[in-house]
Amino acid sequence: MGERVGNFYIGCAVWAYKEWVGEFYPPGSRASDYLSLYSRRLTAVEGNTTFYSVPGAEMVTRWGQETPPDFRFCLKLPRTVTHQGALMAHFGEAIAFLDHLQPLANRLGPYLAQLPPSYSPAQMADLVAFLTAFPRQRLPIAVEVRHADWFTTQNGTQLATQLQTLGVGRVLLDTRPIYECPDDPQIHSERRKPQVPLQPVVTAPFTLVRYISHPDLSRNIPYLMEWVERVSQWLRQGTTVYFFVHCPIEARSPGIARHFQHLLEQAGVPVPALPWNLIPDGPTQLSLFSA
């Protein structure tokens, strides 16, 4: 596929989702083929799987073998590192995890350190110590904070300054589509994600967006159009953008991601062609966008 124009990557949170067979994946696709199929349709995956368990060495090697060279894995640090109190107490485990993933070296995007709602600005010194020790020049990392106090003006500014100094990204979590809409049983599952203000601040040469979409495509359009403007600006500034679409009805995530790609192209934003759109006999756009 060649060099990526604009350094833009788009994907979902997972690849192993059997309900995608028949639309996103061809009818009759086997579970063992999901990653290969996914990586030839979208260009990155958030990789929630490593948050819950560390894959075996053979599986890590297979992930690399089954994906194109320009595909990117943005993998979460294990919850045993990020959700067990002080980060520095688990630094050795974090390094062991990084070493374990090295077979994917040339397919790795930024790692994600997703911190729990209990991790507050009172632990700023621990966070800075962890990120300072992290081999971030070689292995980029982005941080997602969830405690409400991180989103005050003072703490938010302090966090942005620290991350910028270290060259660490801040994960931009956009949960507005599932909170700023009429009550709907379709979205209750995703409302476990925190309702925090969107603070679209770029603190590194890259940025990572987690967009929690509404299942109905039409309800996402105002938010996606805002993201078109931001992504366009960031790409012009030379920032690499990773954009991941989540949805309470996961079957609809790929279609919403594809529509965002369409909006970017329609606005003339210099993003690379989506591999999915280059597959001659791929799933029809109509079936995915009829949500």
mmCIF file of all heavy atoms in Angstrom, residues 111-159:
data_model
loop_
_atom_site.group_PDB
_atom_site.id
_atom_site.type_symbol
_atom_site.label_atom_id
_atom_site.label_comp_id
_atom_site.label_asym_id
_atom_site.label_seq_id
_atom_site.Cartn_x
_atom_site.Cartn_y
_atom_site.Cartn_z
ATOM 1 N N TYR A 111 1.689 2.347 22.660
ATOM 2 C CA TYR A 111 1.027 1.564 23.705
ATOM 3 C C TYR A 111 0.018 2.463 24.420
ATOM 4 O O TYR A 111 0.151 3.693 24.433
ATOM 5 C CB TYR A 111 2.050 1.044 24.719
ATOM 6 C CG TYR A 111 2.816 -0.157 24.242
ATOM 7 C CD1 TYR A 111 4.080 -0.019 23.670
ATOM 8 C CD2 TYR A 111 2.287 -1.444 24.353
ATOM 9 C CE1 TYR A 111 4.796 -1.123 23.232
ATOM 10 C CE2 TYR A 111 2.995 -2.555 23.916
ATOM 11 C CZ TYR A 111 4.244 -2.391 23.358
ATOM 12 O OH TYR A 111 4.937 -3.487 22.911
ATOM 13 N N LEU A 112 -0.995 1.833 25.028
ATOM 14 C CA LEU A 112 -1.996 2.572 25.802
ATOM 15 C C LEU A 112 -1.872 2.214 27.275
ATOM 16 O O LEU A 112 -1.906 1.035 27.625
ATOM 17 C CB LEU A 112 -3.418 2.218 25.349
ATOM 18 C CG LEU A 112 -3.996 2.886 24.114
ATOM 19 C CD1 LEU A 112 -3.322 2.350 22.859
ATOM 20 C CD2 LEU A 112 -5.494 2.643 24.036
ATOM 21 N N ALA A 113 -1.743 3.230 28.103
ATOM 22 C CA ALA A 113 -1.823 3.048 29.557
ATOM 23 C C ALA A 113 -3.154 3.645 29.996
ATOM 24 O O ALA A 113 -3.284 4.861 30.121
ATOM 25 C CB ALA A 113 -0.666 3.734 30.263
ATOM 26 N N GLN A 114 -4.141 2.784 30.187
ATOM 27 C CA GLN A 114 -5.474 3.234 30.590
ATOM 28 C C GLN A 114 -5.561 3.162 32.112
ATOM 29 O O GLN A 114 -5.523 2.083 32.689
ATOM 30 C CB GLN A 114 -6.549 2.364 29.955
ATOM 31 C CG GLN A 114 -7.963 2.837 30.233
ATOM 32 C CD GLN A 114 -8.977 1.894 29.615
ATOM 33 O OE1 GLN A 114 -9.286 0.850 30.180
ATOM 34 N NE2 GLN A 114 -9.487 2.248 28.442
ATOM 35 N N LEU A 115 -5.660 4.317 32.748
ATOM 36 C CA LEU A 115 -5.671 4.370 34.202
ATOM 37 C C LEU A 115 -7.098 4.313 34.738
ATOM 38 O O LEU A 115 -8.022 4.842 34.120
ATOM 39 C CB LEU A 115 -4.974 5.645 34.681
ATOM 40 C CG LEU A 115 -3.539 5.812 34.179
ATOM 41 C CD1 LEU A 115 -2.939 7.113 34.673
ATOM 42 C CD2 LEU A 115 -2.671 4.626 34.614
ATOM 43 N N PRO A 116 -7.300 3.686 35.877
ATOM 44 C CA PRO A 116 -8.655 3.528 36.418
ATOM 45 C C PRO A 116 -9.186 4.830 37.017
ATOM 46 O O PRO A 116 -8.403 5.752 37.307
ATOM 47 C CB PRO A 116 -8.457 2.465 37.505
ATOM 48 C CG PRO A 116 -7.047 2.651 37.959
ATOM 49 C CD PRO A 116 -6.277 3.050 36.728
ATOM 50 N N PRO A 117 -10.491 4.922 37.240
ATOM 51 C CA PRO A 117 -11.066 6.116 37.860
ATOM 52 C C PRO A 117 -10.508 6.410 39.252
ATOM 53 O O PRO A 117 -10.584 7.544 39.715
ATOM 54 C CB PRO A 117 -12.563 5.793 37.933
ATOM 55 C CG PRO A 117 -12.784 4.785 36.856
ATOM 56 C CD PRO A 117 -11.536 3.968 36.810
ATOM 57 N N SER A 118 -9.934 5.416 39.895
ATOM 58 C CA SER A 118 -9.360 5.617 41.228
ATOM 59 C C SER A 118 -7.991 6.287 41.196
ATOM 60 O O SER A 118 -7.493 6.738 42.239
ATOM 61 C CB SER A 118 -9.235 4.259 41.943
ATOM 62 O OG SER A 118 -8.419 3.377 41.189
ATOM 63 N N TYR A 119 -7.373 6.364 40.028
ATOM 64 C CA TYR A 119 -6.019 6.926 39.909
ATOM 65 C C TYR A 119 -6.149 8.431 39.671
ATOM 66 O O TYR A 119 -6.525 8.875 38.592
ATOM 67 C CB TYR A 119 -5.272 6.247 38.763
ATOM 68 C CG TYR A 119 -3.777 6.466 38.765
ATOM 69 C CD1 TYR A 119 -2.920 5.523 39.317
ATOM 70 C CD2 TYR A 119 -3.217 7.610 38.205
ATOM 71 C CE1 TYR A 119 -1.542 5.704 39.315
ATOM 72 C CE2 TYR A 119 -1.850 7.806 38.191
ATOM 73 C CZ TYR A 119 -1.019 6.847 38.748
ATOM 74 O OH TYR A 119 0.358 7.039 38.752
ATOM 75 N N SER A 120 -5.825 9.222 40.680
ATOM 76 C CA SER A 120 -6.113 10.652 40.671
ATOM 77 C C SER A 120 -4.838 11.481 40.501
ATOM 78 O O SER A 120 -3.720 10.955 40.557
ATOM 79 C CB SER A 120 -6.800 11.045 41.975
ATOM 80 O OG SER A 120 -5.850 11.115 43.030
ATOM 81 N N PRO A 121 -4.991 12.804 40.353
ATOM 82 C CA PRO A 121 -3.816 13.675 40.268
ATOM 83 C C PRO A 121 -2.924 13.621 41.515
ATOM 84 O O PRO A 121 -1.760 14.040 41.441
ATOM 85 C CB PRO A 121 -4.434 15.063 40.092
ATOM 86 C CG PRO A 121 -5.732 14.810 39.424
ATOM 87 C CD PRO A 121 -6.235 13.546 40.038
ATOM 88 N N ALA A 122 -3.448 13.113 42.617
ATOM 89 C CA ALA A 122 -2.606 12.940 43.797
ATOM 90 C C ALA A 122 -1.452 11.976 43.519
ATOM 91 O O ALA A 122 -0.441 11.968 44.238
ATOM 92 C CB ALA A 122 -3.445 12.425 44.972
ATOM 93 N N GLN A 123 -1.582 11.185 42.474
ATOM 94 C CA GLN A 123 -0.539 10.217 42.101
ATOM 95 C C GLN A 123 0.288 10.689 40.905
ATOM 96 O O GLN A 123 0.945 9.891 40.240
ATOM 97 C CB GLN A 123 -1.203 8.860 41.799
ATOM 98 C CG GLN A 123 -1.807 8.217 43.046
ATOM 99 C CD GLN A 123 -2.912 7.230 42.722
ATOM 100 O OE1 GLN A 123 -4.013 7.624 42.341
ATOM 101 N NE2 GLN A 123 -2.636 5.945 42.871
ATOM 102 N N MET A 124 0.283 11.993 40.675
ATOM 103 C CA MET A 124 1.027 12.557 39.544
ATOM 104 C C MET A 124 2.504 12.169 39.585
ATOM 105 O O MET A 124 3.098 11.817 38.559
ATOM 106 C CB MET A 124 0.895 14.078 39.531
ATOM 107 C CG MET A 124 1.717 14.765 38.455
ATOM 108 S SD MET A 124 1.022 14.594 36.798
ATOM 109 C CE MET A 124 -0.174 15.948 36.844
ATOM 110 N N ALA A 125 3.115 12.207 40.754
ATOM 111 C CA ALA A 125 4.546 11.893 40.857
ATOM 112 C C ALA A 125 4.816 10.462 40.414
ATOM 113 O O ALA A 125 5.818 10.184 39.739
ATOM 114 C CB ALA A 125 5.034 12.118 42.288
ATOM 115 N N ASP A 126 3.927 9.552 40.785
ATOM 116 C CA ASP A 126 4.070 8.154 40.363
ATOM 117 C C ASP A 126 3.934 8.034 38.851
ATOM 118 O O ASP A 126 4.716 7.331 38.191
ATOM 119 C CB ASP A 126 3.013 7.297 41.063
ATOM 120 C CG ASP A 126 2.987 5.861 40.562
ATOM 121 O OD1 ASP A 126 4.012 5.169 40.706
ATOM 122 O OD2 ASP A 126 1.942 5.444 40.008
ATOM 123 N N LEU A 127 2.973 8.729 38.286
ATOM 124 C CA LEU A 127 2.756 8.687 36.837
ATOM 125 C C LEU A 127 3.977 9.228 36.096
ATOM 126 O O LEU A 127 4.454 8.615 35.132
ATOM 127 C CB LEU A 127 1.513 9.497 36.465
ATOM 128 C CG LEU A 127 1.203 9.622 34.972
ATOM 129 C CD1 LEU A 127 0.997 8.255 34.334
ATOM 130 C CD2 LEU A 127 -0.016 10.518 34.743
ATOM 131 N N VAL A 128 4.491 10.353 36.549
ATOM 132 C CA VAL A 128 5.658 10.953 35.891
ATOM 133 C C VAL A 128 6.878 10.040 36.014
ATOM 134 O O VAL A 128 7.636 9.866 35.054
ATOM 135 C CB VAL A 128 5.948 12.347 36.476
ATOM 136 C CG1 VAL A 128 7.284 12.890 35.968
ATOM 137 C CG2 VAL A 128 4.818 13.316 36.129
ATOM 138 N N ALA A 129 7.057 9.437 37.178
ATOM 139 C CA ALA A 129 8.190 8.524 37.365
ATOM 140 C C ALA A 129 8.083 7.338 36.411
ATOM 141 O O ALA A 129 9.075 6.916 35.795
ATOM 142 C CB ALA A 129 8.255 8.050 38.813
ATOM 143 N N PHE A 130 6.892 6.788 36.290
ATOM 144 C CA PHE A 130 6.672 5.643 35.407
ATOM 145 C C PHE A 130 6.952 6.011 33.952
ATOM 146 O O PHE A 130 7.658 5.289 33.233
ATOM 147 C CB PHE A 130 5.230 5.148 35.566
ATOM 148 C CG PHE A 130 4.876 3.960 34.706
ATOM 149 C CD1 PHE A 130 5.148 2.668 35.137
ATOM 150 C CD2 PHE A 130 4.270 4.132 33.467
ATOM 151 C CE1 PHE A 130 4.827 1.568 34.351
ATOM 152 C CE2 PHE A 130 3.941 3.042 32.677
ATOM 153 C CZ PHE A 130 4.230 1.755 33.118
ATOM 154 N N LEU A 131 6.413 7.145 33.512
ATOM 155 C CA LEU A 131 6.583 7.553 32.119
ATOM 156 C C LEU A 131 8.019 7.965 31.822
ATOM 157 O O LEU A 131 8.520 7.763 30.708
ATOM 158 C CB LEU A 131 5.624 8.701 31.792
ATOM 159 C CG LEU A 131 4.138 8.342 31.851
ATOM 160 C CD1 LEU A 131 3.282 9.586 31.659
ATOM 161 C CD2 LEU A 131 3.780 7.286 30.810
ATOM 162 N N THR A 132 8.699 8.525 32.809
ATOM 163 C CA THR A 132 10.107 8.899 32.632
ATOM 164 C C THR A 132 10.969 7.656 32.436
ATOM 165 O O THR A 132 11.883 7.637 31.600
ATOM 166 C CB THR A 132 10.601 9.709 33.839
ATOM 167 O OG1 THR A 132 9.813 10.900 33.975
ATOM 168 C CG2 THR A 132 12.063 10.094 33.688
ATOM 169 N N ALA A 133 10.665 6.611 33.205
ATOM 170 C CA ALA A 133 11.441 5.371 33.113
ATOM 171 C C ALA A 133 11.056 4.536 31.890
ATOM 172 O O ALA A 133 11.862 3.733 31.413
ATOM 173 C CB ALA A 133 11.235 4.548 34.384
ATOM 174 N N PHE A 134 9.851 4.729 31.385
ATOM 175 C CA PHE A 134 9.360 3.958 30.241
ATOM 176 C C PHE A 134 10.211 4.264 29.006
ATOM 177 O O PHE A 134 10.547 5.429 28.756
ATOM 178 C CB PHE A 134 7.896 4.335 29.974
ATOM 179 C CG PHE A 134 7.152 3.393 29.077
ATOM 180 C CD1 PHE A 134 6.435 2.333 29.603
ATOM 181 C CD2 PHE A 134 7.161 3.569 27.695
ATOM 182 C CE1 PHE A 134 5.734 1.462 28.782
ATOM 183 C CE2 PHE A 134 6.464 2.708 26.864
ATOM 184 C CZ PHE A 134 5.751 1.652 27.403
ATOM 185 N N PRO A 135 10.571 3.274 28.202
ATOM 186 C CA PRO A 135 11.414 3.514 27.014
ATOM 187 C C PRO A 135 10.632 4.182 25.883
ATOM 188 O O PRO A 135 10.472 3.647 24.790
ATOM 189 C CB PRO A 135 11.877 2.109 26.634
ATOM 190 C CG PRO A 135 10.784 1.208 27.106
ATOM 191 C CD PRO A 135 10.280 1.830 28.382
ATOM 192 N N ARG A 136 10.131 5.385 26.165
ATOM 193 C CA ARG A 136 9.157 6.038 25.294
ATOM 194 C C ARG A 136 9.756 6.538 23.979
ATOM 195 O O ARG A 136 9.029 6.714 23.006
ATOM 196 C CB ARG A 136 8.496 7.191 26.052
ATOM 197 C CG ARG A 136 9.463 8.259 26.501
ATOM 198 C CD ARG A 136 8.879 9.177 27.560
ATOM 199 N NE ARG A 136 9.812 10.269 27.873
ATOM 200 C CZ ARG A 136 10.874 10.115 28.654
ATOM 201 N NH1 ARG A 136 11.129 8.947 29.223
ATOM 202 N NH2 ARG A 136 11.683 11.135 28.876
ATOM 203 N N GLN A 137 11.087 6.774 23.937
ATOM 204 C CA GLN A 137 11.683 7.201 22.669
ATOM 205 C C GLN A 137 11.647 6.064 21.653
ATOM 206 O O GLN A 137 11.503 6.294 20.453
ATOM 207 C CB GLN A 137 13.136 7.655 22.883
ATOM 208 C CG GLN A 137 13.283 8.910 23.726
ATOM 209 C CD GLN A 137 13.366 8.620 25.212
ATOM 210 O OE1 GLN A 137 13.197 7.469 25.641
ATOM 211 N NE2 GLN A 137 13.627 9.657 25.997
ATOM 212 N N ARG A 138 11.743 4.841 22.154
ATOM 213 C CA ARG A 138 11.736 3.669 21.280
ATOM 214 C C ARG A 138 10.331 3.099 21.113
ATOM 215 O O ARG A 138 9.969 2.604 20.044
ATOM 216 C CB ARG A 138 12.679 2.611 21.874
ATOM 217 C CG ARG A 138 12.762 1.311 21.115
ATOM 218 C CD ARG A 138 13.895 0.446 21.656
ATOM 219 N NE ARG A 138 13.769 0.201 23.086
ATOM 220 C CZ ARG A 138 13.105 -0.832 23.617
ATOM 221 N NH1 ARG A 138 12.492 -1.700 22.829
ATOM 222 N NH2 ARG A 138 13.058 -0.995 24.929
ATOM 223 N N LEU A 139 9.541 3.171 22.187
ATOM 224 C CA LEU A 139 8.200 2.604 22.201
ATOM 225 C C LEU A 139 7.226 3.675 22.695
ATOM 226 O O LEU A 139 7.038 3.846 23.900
ATOM 227 C CB LEU A 139 8.152 1.373 23.119
ATOM 228 C CG LEU A 139 9.095 0.220 22.745
ATOM 229 C CD1 LEU A 139 9.110 -0.833 23.835
ATOM 230 C CD2 LEU A 139 8.680 -0.390 21.409
ATOM 231 N N PRO A 140 6.612 4.420 21.802
ATOM 232 C CA PRO A 140 5.704 5.498 22.196
ATOM 233 C C PRO A 140 4.563 4.977 23.070
ATOM 234 O O PRO A 140 4.133 3.827 22.947
ATOM 235 C CB PRO A 140 5.173 6.031 20.862
ATOM 236 C CG PRO A 140 6.187 5.618 19.857
ATOM 237 C CD PRO A 140 6.731 4.312 20.339
ATOM 238 N N ILE A 141 4.073 5.849 23.939
ATOM 239 C CA ILE A 141 2.993 5.483 24.842
ATOM 240 C C ILE A 141 2.028 6.656 24.988
ATOM 241 O O ILE A 141 2.430 7.820 24.929
ATOM 242 C CB ILE A 141 3.551 5.047 26.229
ATOM 243 C CG1 ILE A 141 2.414 4.554 27.137
ATOM 244 C CG2 ILE A 141 4.357 6.159 26.872
ATOM 245 C CD1 ILE A 141 2.902 3.918 28.433
ATOM 246 N N ALA A 142 0.744 6.333 25.149
ATOM 247 C CA ALA A 142 -0.295 7.334 25.388
ATOM 248 C C ALA A 142 -1.023 6.960 26.674
ATOM 249 O O ALA A 142 -1.190 5.782 26.992
ATOM 250 C CB ALA A 142 -1.268 7.400 24.221
ATOM 251 N N VAL A 143 -1.467 7.968 27.409
ATOM 252 C CA VAL A 143 -2.107 7.776 28.709
ATOM 253 C C VAL A 143 -3.560 8.206 28.645
ATOM 254 O O VAL A 143 -3.881 9.276 28.107
ATOM 255 C CB VAL A 143 -1.368 8.582 29.805
ATOM 256 C CG1 VAL A 143 -2.111 8.492 31.130
ATOM 257 C CG2 VAL A 143 0.059 8.091 29.957
ATOM 258 N N GLU A 144 -4.433 7.369 29.200
ATOM 259 C CA GLU A 144 -5.839 7.743 29.352
ATOM 260 C C GLU A 144 -6.156 7.866 30.828
ATOM 261 O O GLU A 144 -5.977 6.912 31.593
ATOM 262 C CB GLU A 144 -6.769 6.704 28.724
ATOM 263 C CG GLU A 144 -8.243 7.081 28.868
ATOM 264 C CD GLU A 144 -9.179 6.060 28.248
ATOM 265 O OE1 GLU A 144 -8.855 5.522 27.171
ATOM 266 O OE2 GLU A 144 -10.236 5.790 28.865
ATOM 267 N N VAL A 145 -6.604 9.054 31.245
ATOM 268 C CA VAL A 145 -6.985 9.288 32.637
ATOM 269 C C VAL A 145 -8.508 9.313 32.740
ATOM 270 O O VAL A 145 -9.197 9.726 31.796
ATOM 271 C CB VAL A 145 -6.379 10.600 33.177
ATOM 272 C CG1 VAL A 145 -4.865 10.496 33.273
ATOM 273 C CG2 VAL A 145 -6.770 11.797 32.303
ATOM 274 N N ARG A 146 -9.008 8.876 33.910
ATOM 275 C CA ARG A 146 -10.465 8.791 34.070
ATOM 276 C C ARG A 146 -10.983 9.449 35.356
ATOM 277 O O ARG A 146 -12.177 9.697 35.456
ATOM 278 C CB ARG A 146 -10.904 7.323 34.016
ATOM 279 C CG ARG A 146 -10.689 6.697 32.641
ATOM 280 C CD ARG A 146 -11.314 5.337 32.516
ATOM 281 N NE ARG A 146 -11.439 4.929 31.113
ATOM 282 C CZ ARG A 146 -12.187 3.928 30.688
ATOM 283 N NH1 ARG A 146 -12.900 3.217 31.554
ATOM 284 N NH2 ARG A 146 -12.254 3.618 29.413
ATOM 285 N N HIS A 147 -10.114 9.691 36.314
ATOM 286 C CA HIS A 147 -10.558 10.358 37.535
ATOM 287 C C HIS A 147 -11.001 11.785 37.177
ATOM 288 O O HIS A 147 -10.318 12.501 36.437
ATOM 289 C CB HIS A 147 -9.413 10.392 38.559
ATOM 290 C CG HIS A 147 -9.839 10.799 39.934
ATOM 291 N ND1 HIS A 147 -10.204 12.091 40.258
ATOM 292 C CD2 HIS A 147 -9.952 10.083 41.088
ATOM 293 C CE1 HIS A 147 -10.515 12.153 41.537
ATOM 294 N NE2 HIS A 147 -10.381 10.949 42.067
ATOM 295 N N ALA A 148 -12.144 12.214 37.721
ATOM 296 C CA ALA A 148 -12.714 13.515 37.351
ATOM 297 C C ALA A 148 -11.762 14.673 37.612
ATOM 298 O O ALA A 148 -11.775 15.675 36.879
ATOM 299 C CB ALA A 148 -14.032 13.729 38.099
ATOM 300 N N ASP A 149 -10.909 14.569 38.623
ATOM 301 C CA ASP A 149 -10.030 15.687 38.981
ATOM 302 C C ASP A 149 -8.964 15.978 37.922
ATOM 303 O O ASP A 149 -8.391 17.073 37.896
ATOM 304 C CB ASP A 149 -9.355 15.428 40.332
ATOM 305 C CG ASP A 149 -10.317 15.549 41.504
ATOM 306 O OD1 ASP A 149 -11.477 15.962 41.273
ATOM 307 O OD2 ASP A 149 -9.927 15.216 42.648
ATOM 308 N N TRP A 150 -8.688 15.010 37.051
ATOM 309 C CA TRP A 150 -7.734 15.282 35.972
ATOM 310 C C TRP A 150 -8.276 16.307 34.988
ATOM 311 O O TRP A 150 -7.511 16.901 34.209
ATOM 312 C CB TRP A 150 -7.404 14.004 35.193
ATOM 313 C CG TRP A 150 -6.573 12.985 35.915
ATOM 314 C CD1 TRP A 150 -6.988 11.772 36.386
ATOM 315 C CD2 TRP A 150 -5.167 13.072 36.218
ATOM 316 N NE1 TRP A 150 -5.929 11.097 36.971
ATOM 317 C CE2 TRP A 150 -4.807 11.874 36.876
ATOM 318 C CE3 TRP A 150 -4.193 14.052 35.992
ATOM 319 C CZ2 TRP A 150 -3.509 11.636 37.316
ATOM 320 C CZ3 TRP A 150 -2.900 13.815 36.429
ATOM 321 C CH2 TRP A 150 -2.567 12.617 37.084
ATOM 322 N N PHE A 151 -9.578 16.519 34.993
ATOM 323 C CA PHE A 151 -10.204 17.348 33.979
ATOM 324 C C PHE A 151 -10.467 18.778 34.463
ATOM 325 O O PHE A 151 -11.093 19.560 33.747
ATOM 326 C CB PHE A 151 -11.500 16.681 33.498
ATOM 327 C CG PHE A 151 -11.240 15.368 32.814
ATOM 328 C CD1 PHE A 151 -11.147 14.194 33.547
ATOM 329 C CD2 PHE A 151 -11.043 15.315 31.446
ATOM 330 C CE1 PHE A 151 -10.875 12.981 32.923
ATOM 331 C CE2 PHE A 151 -10.774 14.111 30.814
ATOM 332 C CZ PHE A 151 -10.687 12.940 31.551
ATOM 333 N N THR A 152 -9.995 19.126 35.661
ATOM 334 C CA THR A 152 -10.033 20.522 36.078
ATOM 335 C C THR A 152 -8.981 21.293 35.286
ATOM 336 O O THR A 152 -8.027 20.707 34.763
ATOM 337 C CB THR A 152 -9.751 20.674 37.577
ATOM 338 O OG1 THR A 152 -8.392 20.275 37.841
ATOM 339 C CG2 THR A 152 -10.700 19.814 38.404
ATOM 340 N N THR A 153 -9.148 22.590 35.196
ATOM 341 C CA THR A 153 -8.221 23.406 34.404
ATOM 342 C C THR A 153 -6.790 23.264 34.909
ATOM 343 O O THR A 153 -5.852 23.041 34.126
ATOM 344 C CB THR A 153 -8.648 24.883 34.445
ATOM 345 O OG1 THR A 153 -9.967 25.001 33.907
ATOM 346 C CG2 THR A 153 -7.690 25.737 33.644
ATOM 347 N N GLN A 154 -6.602 23.366 36.223
ATOM 348 C CA GLN A 154 -5.251 23.315 36.784
ATOM 349 C C GLN A 154 -4.588 21.960 36.561
ATOM 350 O O GLN A 154 -3.461 21.871 36.067
ATOM 351 C CB GLN A 154 -5.285 23.626 38.287
ATOM 352 C CG GLN A 154 -3.900 23.617 38.934
ATOM 353 C CD GLN A 154 -3.958 23.988 40.410
ATOM 354 O OE1 GLN A 154 -4.981 24.458 40.907
ATOM 355 N NE2 GLN A 154 -2.853 23.778 41.121
ATOM 356 N N ASN A 155 -5.295 20.893 36.916
ATOM 357 C CA ASN A 155 -4.712 19.554 36.764
ATOM 358 C C ASN A 155 -4.557 19.165 35.303
ATOM 359 O O ASN A 155 -3.578 18.506 34.928
ATOM 360 C CB ASN A 155 -5.571 18.517 37.488
ATOM 361 C CG ASN A 155 -5.472 18.640 38.997
ATOM 362 O OD1 ASN A 155 -4.438 19.018 39.536
ATOM 363 N ND2 ASN A 155 -6.561 18.333 39.689
ATOM 364 N N GLY A 156 -5.527 19.553 34.482
ATOM 365 C CA GLY A 156 -5.435 19.246 33.059
ATOM 366 C C GLY A 156 -4.239 19.921 32.412
ATOM 367 O O GLY A 156 -3.526 19.314 31.595
ATOM 368 N N THR A 157 -3.999 21.174 32.791
ATOM 369 C CA THR A 157 -2.846 21.903 32.254
ATOM 370 C C THR A 157 -1.539 21.281 32.730
ATOM 371 O O THR A 157 -0.590 21.118 31.949
ATOM 372 C CB THR A 157 -2.901 23.378 32.681
ATOM 373 O OG1 THR A 157 -4.108 23.965 32.173
ATOM 374 C CG2 THR A 157 -1.703 24.145 32.151
ATOM 375 N N GLN A 158 -1.503 20.919 34.015
ATOM 376 C CA GLN A 158 -0.293 20.298 34.555
ATOM 377 C C GLN A 158 0.001 18.960 33.877
ATOM 378 O O GLN A 158 1.141 18.653 33.531
ATOM 379 C CB GLN A 158 -0.420 20.103 36.062
ATOM 380 C CG GLN A 158 0.860 19.579 36.712
ATOM 381 C CD GLN A 158 0.714 19.376 38.212
ATOM 382 O OE1 GLN A 158 -0.366 19.583 38.775
ATOM 383 N NE2 GLN A 158 1.792 18.979 38.868
ATOM 384 N N LEU A 159 -1.053 18.173 33.676
ATOM 385 C CA LEU A 159 -0.880 16.886 33.015
ATOM 386 C C LEU A 159 -0.378 17.085 31.586
ATOM 387 O O LEU A 159 0.572 16.406 31.149
ATOM 388 C CB LEU A 159 -2.206 16.120 32.993
ATOM 389 C CG LEU A 159 -2.196 14.785 32.243
ATOM 390 C CD1 LEU A 159 -1.243 13.797 32.894
ATOM 391 C CD2 LEU A 159 -3.611 14.194 32.185
#
